Amino acid sequence: MTIDFSKTNGLVPAIIQDHKTRQVLMLGYMNEEALQKTQRDNIVTFFSRSKNRLWTKGETSGNYLKVVSITKDCDQDALLIQVNPSGPTCHNGTTSCFADEAQLPFLNQLEQVIENRIANQNANSYVTSLFQKGINKIAQKVGEEAVELVIEAKDNNPNLFLNEAADLLFHYLLLLKAKGFGLADVENILKSRMKNG
């Protein structure tokens, strides 16, 4: 990867983006050594302008940014780095340094809610109760919701149709999580199909 470090006195901006949610997490700066270390270790390392040294994000907090991909911009003087964060990115404890302005797309928020309810096993949660019944029951529920959606598609009641569509999508997300996957995994397959034809 060829980056032009000369335009900005040896530093280029590096935009950090969550690979799964696409949320922008932070902006940092890299010199050539920081980029090489990031590529070698697959953990984001910046050049800290205040400390005047290399700084691996997470070296004190443990909230590392694990590299998924690094892309340069068209002028070869900025980087977009997609990561899997191991905790909050901002030193304030928020997911993103742009937390006040940025909000996850709703389906990503819903995925997180489902994931949290599976992890926390709250007895009063519908997600928990269905998850505890096992994969066969979850898959059966997806099938039932799909049939109900097809039935409503044949009628002329948009409200019932949209509600069944919402039920199907919700249970589909639950099935994905129960199988250890998420929307990003499905998106990647769809993207590869677009490229192939």
Side-chain angles (χ1 to χ4, degrees):
M1 176 180 296
T2 305
I3 299 297
D4 188 350
F5 289 96
S6 64
K7 290 182 185 175
T8 51
N9 298 320
L11 295 177
V12 295
I15 301 162
I16 308 301
Q17 182 182 42
D18 188 303
H19 172 67
K20 291 180 182 171
T21 67
R22 303 298 194 245
Q23 184 177 21
V24 174
L25 301 177
M26 68 175 292
L27 170 70
Y29 293 88
M30 291 185 169
N31 62 8
E32 192 168 1
E33 187 181 3
L35 176 58
Q36 290 170 353
K37 182 170 173 45
T38 297
Q39 290 173 313
R40 183 178 64 246
D41 299 344
N42 284 321
I43 301 289
V44 174
T45 295
F46 297 108
F47 180 82
S48 170
R49 294 168 298 162
S50 58
K51 298 172 185 171
N52 198 32
R53 66 170 176 85
L54 293 186
W55 166 65
T56 298
K57 177 71 178 96
E59 66 186 30
T60 53
S61 67
N63 297 329
Y64 295 101
L65 299 171
K66 297 171 186 168
V67 176
V68 175
S69 67
I70 302 175
T71 308
K72 61 185 175 182
D73 76 338
C74 59
D75 294 323
Q76 301 180 353
D77 61 1
L79 298 167
L80 174 64
I81 303 178
Q82 291 193 347
V83 301
N84 287 324
S86 58
T89 299
C90 185
H91 69 282
N92 291 325
T94 55
T95 300
S96 169
C97 294
F98 302 99
D100 290 341
E101 295 83 21
Q103 188 170 0
L104 290 176
F106 176 75
L107 288 180
N108 296 113
Q109 290 180 40
L110 183 56
E111 261 192 315
Q112 287 187 344
V113 168
I114 290 170
E115 196 170 306
N116 289 339
R117 291 191 180 156
I118 289 172
N120 295 326
Q121 298 289 301
N122 181 338
N124 296 324
S125 164
Y126 171 75
V127 170
T128 299
S129 67
L130 188 54
F131 182 75
Q132 288 174 341
K133 291 176 183 174
I135 198 74
N136 289 343
K137 189 64 178 173
I138 298 169
Q140 177 186 342
K141 191 66 179 164
V142 171
E144 290 171 7
E145 297 299 342
V147 169
E148 290 173 13
L149 179 63
V150 169
I151 292 168
E152 290 305 329
K154 294 175 176 260
D155 292 333
N156 291 321
N157 188 326
N159 186 47
L160 289 177
F161 173 75
L162 288 174
N163 273 281
E164 292 302 339
D167 288 347
L168 176 58
L169 183 55
F170 175 83
H171 288 93
Y172 169 66
L173 289 174
L174 177 54
L175 181 62
L176 280 175
K177 286 295 170 192
K179 293 292 289 180
F181 298 107
L183 281 174
D185 299 300
V186 177
E187 285 175 8
N188 288 337
I189 290 172
L190 292 172
K191 286 176 186 173
S192 72
R193 289 179 182 176
M194 281 181 67
K195 290 176 187 172
N196 295 333

